[in-house]
Amino acid sequence: MGDRTHTHTGAAGRAATADRPASVRNVVLVGHSGSGKTTLVEALALTAGAVNRAGRVEDGGTVSDYDEIEQRRQRSVQLSLVPVEWGGYKINLLDTPGYADFVGELRAGLRAADAALFVVSAAQEADAVAGTTRAVWEECAAVGMPRAIVVTHLDTARTPFDEMTRVCGRLFGGDDPDAVLPLYLPVQGPEAPDGHAPLTGLTGLLTQRIFDYSSGERTENPPAGDERAPLLAARNRLIEGIIAESEDETLMDRYLGGGDIDTGTLVDDLERAVARGTFHPVLTAAPAVDGARQGIGTVELLDLITGGFPSPLERTLPAVTTPEGTPRPAPVCDPQGPLVAEVVKTASDPYVGRVSLVRVFSGTLRPDDTVHVCGHGLTDPGHEARPCHDADVRVGALSSPFGKQQRPLDHCIAGDLASVSKLGGAETGDTLSGTGDPLLMEPWTMPDPLLPLAVRAHSKADEDKLSQGLARLVAEDPTMRLEQNKDTHQVVLWCMGEAQADVALERLRSRYGVQVDAVPHRVPLRETFASRTVGRGRHVKQSGGHGQFAICEIEVEPLPPGTGIEFVDKVVGGAVPRQFIPSVEKGVRAQAARGVAAGHPLVDVRVTLLDGKSHSVDSSDAAFQTAGALALREAASDTRIQLLEPVAEVRVLVPDDYVGAVMSDLAGRRGRVVGTEQTAGEQTLVRAEVPEIEIGRYAVDLRSLSHGTGRFDRAYARHEAMPPQLADRIREEQENGTNGT
């Protein structure tokens, strides 16, 4: 890391391949939106020779040309894989979206990777590093994933590099900020008139060498005499941090005793500590300028990846079971072992159809192999459980994705990633295994999508294609959930946020040729009787031949919430023949399902059949069903019908600084805070009951209120009476056809 010989094999125009797991590195780039992850991937690809010039593959495509939608929006909206070669290693760079709406793509990247690069921008305020980035850091820490930090945008920095390293130490170091330290210090040129100073090189703290990029080529020079003193304190702290993580307990005694410790020993101990996930180096990088071959800091970063990050052999693999749930021995990263692989991403290509990005954990995957595909969907609160699906599928072509290009592969070994075409109905999270011994990998969790997007087909032609388009959309992105609401009769696509909703609508139009209209989302309201009342249903018709004759009298009274509909028979003297009493009940229940006032289902009432009349010839099952429905409608016309709205149990987790604002906001939504509790990491869990009609956009509003640091979940609690003035307004909107509850 700073004193190695830098050799690499150019990979432009061909697929990077791996012949053994030890030569593979799978690295996911994580960071907030605008931190420069995609630019950094392009700079690394340029330095490694995977592209000919910044952002360009050899045949004219672009590294960041992942999707026409994200190009227009100038942000990444999906996981992308860019494989490069460096020093005899294949590096799979997994670029993830930084925007919170696309957390599903981030989770897929974490599943496929063995180490993470956290990219933070010095051009943003230091506080912007917190929030979602810190939450992902904690996720990685929980599974022991090795991590390093890359500071970008130093040329336009609002926060100096030394301050950024202190912020990273405080946010990511936890109880041990000395486990987050820089390996290099930036060398910056003179300030421009706008106050920004360009990055021209780096100073290696261990080697005490200056790596100068100002000429367009990377050159090494010793520091001048006046440059040594400022480096000494940072170098000593780094050495102490490395020694504290060393397995050689004699190093600290030698260091404190003034003994000299060989740089090679320090580098080896540093690499081992990074691979164990106990030390997190901070580096800086910038893209190449003025036609230079290498970006600033990219050589150092590639050396860290190959020398410090672990190979797939060092990863603890997810547990596996049989499809029936019987535990099986954990797989081993061995190309000769039984096949165990997983679909980490699903995409649709207009020319080749569905394409699956697959991480092979054990065995070797080859084109035309027959594999067993097994899965039960990702386990998260936003997706209903579905039966495990099993099928033997023939594998299509294997390729290595690079921008829009798919470079053919003849195999994919354990530890590597590849795109697979025509993998049947495989979905994200599905397991691929041998046909003779089907296996199922332990799934990873996905967050619950909490922003509803109600849609309807724009035309009859679109209606015919809507179902298939939505199904494909949800199969591609498991953070979206499709709901066919039986109460409101709406098609609802649940999303993580507005950006994901916008992308979903655009993809339906451009990729699947389905034009849809977004319509106001309605929550399922209910109706109930406010007081006891009676009703009479009279259905008498004579039209020649058999007529229709049925009369019934009922009493309706309200019941406690959650009771539903009760039907009681109190007819005496055979006024309503016994065979027609079930007919009356059927008509009452059918009318209750349709509603009696505003078209919402009627609940929590007892309907008592008191009396009636029949005719020996003209009475029938259908006639008494109609009479029962008429009686219920007449009863409703003589009393006040109360609207009931669904109430959700909401749990909001926010940093302590935002608790007051969150509680005030919930109160403004007619919410009742039922408790708070302190959690780890200076965060508070606020529990409240809030009408669902008030939290349709809470996923968006909470993100704004808490600066992206808050999270919440919700669960249906019950229906309860809506305030009369609000109920009147909703009835008026429904009459005018503008209701969007």
Side-chain angles (χ1 to χ4, degrees):
M1 297 185 193
D3 62 343
R4 302 186 183 280
T5 301
H6 308 292
T7 60
H8 67 275
T9 56
R14 62 182 179 84
T17 58
D19 57 359
R20 54 195 179 91
S23 65
V24 178
R25 298 293 183 270
N26 298 308
V27 183
V28 61
L29 283 82
V30 178
H32 50 287
S33 183
S35 60
K37 298 182 296 299
T38 301
T39 302
L40 179 59
V41 168
E42 293 173 348
L44 292 171
L46 177 67
T47 297
V51 293
N52 292 337
R53 57 195 184 278
R56 296 283 170 180
V57 268
E58 189 168 3
D59 56 6
T62 63
V63 173
S64 59
D65 193 12
Y66 309 129
D67 191 287
E68 60 174 318
I69 300 167
E70 66 183 283
Q71 281 193 334
R72 290 198 294 273
R73 299 172 186 274
Q74 294 298 302
R75 65 168 175 242
S76 297
V77 299
Q78 59 184 359
L79 175 71
S80 59
L81 170 63
V82 177
V84 302
E85 292 185 13
W86 183 257
Y89 293 86
K90 179 186 179 184
I91 304 173
N92 290 315
L93 298 170
L94 293 151
D95 184 15
T96 64
Y99 203 65
D101 281 14
F102 307 103
V103 65
E105 305 288 321
L106 170 61
R107 295 283 177 89
L110 293 174
R111 180 71 162 199
D114 304 311
L117 282 177
F118 280 74
V119 183
V120 297
S121 172
Q124 298 180 334
E125 298 293 343
D127 290 343
V129 179
T132 55
T133 305
R134 183 177 178 182
V136 177
W137 181 277
E138 292 168 355
E139 278 190 49
C140 294
V143 297
M145 178 176 282
R147 287 145 283 156
I149 301 160
V150 183
V151 178
T152 59
H153 301 152
L154 279 177
D155 54 337
T156 57
R158 293 184 185 180
T159 308
F161 180 77
D162 56 349
E163 176 61 20
M164 286 299 301
T165 58
R166 284 193 291 270
V167 168
C168 292
R170 184 180 75 250
L171 291 177
F172 303 143
D175 297 332
D176 186 13
D178 285 341
V180 181
L181 295 171
L183 298 186
Y184 302 88
L185 297 183
V187 177
Q188 294 181 269
E191 282 192 6
D194 60 4
H196 296 140
L199 186 65
T200 62
L202 304 171
T203 300
L205 293 180
L206 291 182
T207 60
Q208 299 188 81
R209 305 284 291 178
I210 294 178
F211 303 100
D212 186 10
Y213 288 82
S214 60
S215 66
E217 296 292 333
R218 182 180 186 271
T219 60
E220 292 188 26
N221 303 297
D226 58 346
E227 295 175 319
R228 291 183 178 274
L231 302 178
L232 188 59
R235 184 175 191 271
N236 288 341
R237 189 180 179 195
L238 174 61
I239 292 175
E240 291 171 7
I242 294 172
I243 291 175
E245 300 295 336
S246 175
E247 297 175 349
D248 186 350
E249 298 179 357
T250 67
L251 285 184
M252 183 61 76
D253 293 335
R254 286 165 51 194
Y255 177 72
L256 295 176
D260 185 36
I261 300 177
D262 178 70
T263 299
T265 300
L266 292 172
V267 170
D268 290 341
D269 279 343
L270 169 64
E271 291 180 344
R272 282 192 287 267
V274 171
R276 288 197 308 269
T278 58
F279 188 84
H280 314 292
V282 182
L283 299 90
T284 187
V289 294
D290 299 329
R293 179 72 235 178
Q294 297 171 338
I296 299 173
T298 52
V299 168
E300 291 75 14
L301 191 49
L302 289 166
D303 283 344
L304 170 68
I305 291 171
T306 56
F309 281 167
S311 74
L313 294 169
E314 301 168 73
R315 176 176 179 175
T316 301
L317 301 185
V320 297
T321 66
T322 64
E324 295 75 25
T326 304
R328 296 293 301 275
V332 177
C333 184
D334 178 5
Q336 306 304 318
L339 177 67
V340 181
E342 186 174 45
V343 178
V344 295
K345 176 178 171 58
T346 307
S348 292
D349 185 280
Y351 302 106
V352 299
R354 183 175 293 188
V355 178
S356 303
L357 180 62
V358 173
R359 162 76 190 254
V360 180
F361 290 97
S362 173
T364 299
L365 187 65
R366 293 182 174 84
D368 297 325
D369 281 353
T370 299
V371 302
H372 188 83
V373 177
C374 182
H376 46 55
L378 300 179
T379 56
D380 65 271
H383 292 74
E384 297 179 2
R386 58 182 173 85
C388 181
H389 57 280
D390 296 85
D392 289 344
V393 176
R394 186 178 181 183
V395 176
L398 298 187
S399 58
S400 180
F402 195 84
K404 282 188 173 179
Q405 308 304 311
Q406 295 288 337
R407 298 169 176 171
L409 295 174
D410 56 11
H411 67 279
C412 181
I413 65 167
D416 206 354
L417 293 112
S419 287
V420 184
S421 63
K422 300 178 181 177
L423 199 55
E427 299 177 2
T428 301
D430 284 358
T431 303
L432 311 184
S433 57
T435 56
D437 186 18
L439 297 173
L440 187 61
M441 298 194 75
E442 179 184 40
W444 75 92
T445 58
M446 284 289 191
D448 189 2
L450 295 168
L451 181 70
L453 173 66
V455 297
R456 67 182 175 203
H458 184 71
S459 66
K460 176 62 177 176
D462 294 311
E463 190 173 326
D464 296 337
K465 298 182 290 185
L466 179 60
S467 178
Q468 185 179 23
L470 288 172
R472 289 182 177 179
L473 202 64
V474 173
E476 288 183 20
D477 189 345
T479 59
M480 289 190 288
R481 175 167 55 94
L482 185 61
E483 175 192 9
Q484 304 270 358
N485 193 293
K486 59 180 175 47
D487 292 322
T488 64
H489 307 292
Q490 284 190 314
V491 177
V492 182
L493 191 63
W494 288 87
C495 304
M496 298 299 300
E498 288 182 309
Q500 188 186 41
D502 290 345
V503 169
L505 293 177
E506 180 64 20
R507 282 182 176 164
L508 281 173
R509 184 195 64 79
S510 62
R511 191 176 290 180
Y512 303 119
V514 183
Q515 189 75 35
V516 300
D517 299 321
V519 297
H521 174 250
R522 299 195 299 268
V523 301
L525 303 180
R526 301 283 186 267
E527 300 173 353
T528 194
F529 280 59
S531 60
R532 183 192 303 263
T533 187
V534 295
R536 186 172 189 265
R538 184 177 186 275
H539 184 60
V540 178
K541 288 187 177 181
Q542 190 70 39
S543 57
H546 282 298
Q548 299 181 52
F549 187 98
I551 298 174
C552 62
E553 296 180 4
I554 63 171
E555 179 186 68
V556 185
E557 56 187 318
L559 293 177
T563 306
I565 301 287
E566 286 187 10
F567 183 84
V568 178
D569 169 24
K570 286 190 177 180
V571 174
V572 294
V576 176
R578 307 309 302 169
Q579 70 267 27
F580 294 135
I581 290 175
S583 303
V584 176
E585 180 179 359
K586 188 174 181 180
V588 165
R589 290 188 180 276
Q591 184 62 54
R594 295 191 295 268
V596 294
H600 304 294
L602 178 70
V603 296
D604 302 336
V605 294
R606 178 184 292 122
V607 179
T608 303
L609 178 60
L610 301 174
D611 200 358
K613 293 182 180 180
S614 65
H615 189 278
S616 59
V617 175
D618 292 341
S619 290
S620 65
D621 170 65
F624 271 101
Q625 285 191 45
T626 302
L630 289 171
L632 188 62
R633 292 211 299 266
E634 182 180 285
S637 66
D638 290 338
T639 189
R640 184 169 64 88
I641 300 299
Q642 200 168 49
L643 278 187
L644 304 178
E645 61 180 337
V647 175
E649 293 179 354
V650 177
R651 296 166 13 114
V652 187
L653 183 65
V654 289
D656 295 343
D657 293 344
Y658 300 108
V659 171
V662 166
M663 293 177 68
S664 176
D665 178 72
L666 290 173
R669 298 172 186 270
R670 298 189 287 125
R672 298 183 294 272
V673 175
V674 297
T676 62
E677 58 185 84
Q678 198 72 25
T679 65
E682 299 181 347
Q683 291 187 310
T684 298
L685 181 67
V686 180
R687 291 180 288 109
E689 294 180 345
V690 190
E692 289 190 11
I693 197 172
E694 303 286 351
I695 55 174
R697 287 180 48 82
Y698 195 57
V700 177
D701 298 337
L702 177 63
R703 188 177 297 165
S704 174
L705 189 66
S706 65
H707 295 183
T709 61
R711 304 195 299 274
F712 84 104
D713 57 54
R714 57 188 278 186
Y716 169 77
R718 62 188 176 277
H719 273 73
E720 63 181 34
M722 180 180 287
Q725 66 275 16
L726 181 58
D728 291 342
R729 179 173 64 82
I730 288 177
R731 289 190 185 99
E732 182 181 344
E733 289 175 347
Q734 286 180 326
E735 290 173 1
N736 296 330
T738 60
N739 178 250
T741 56

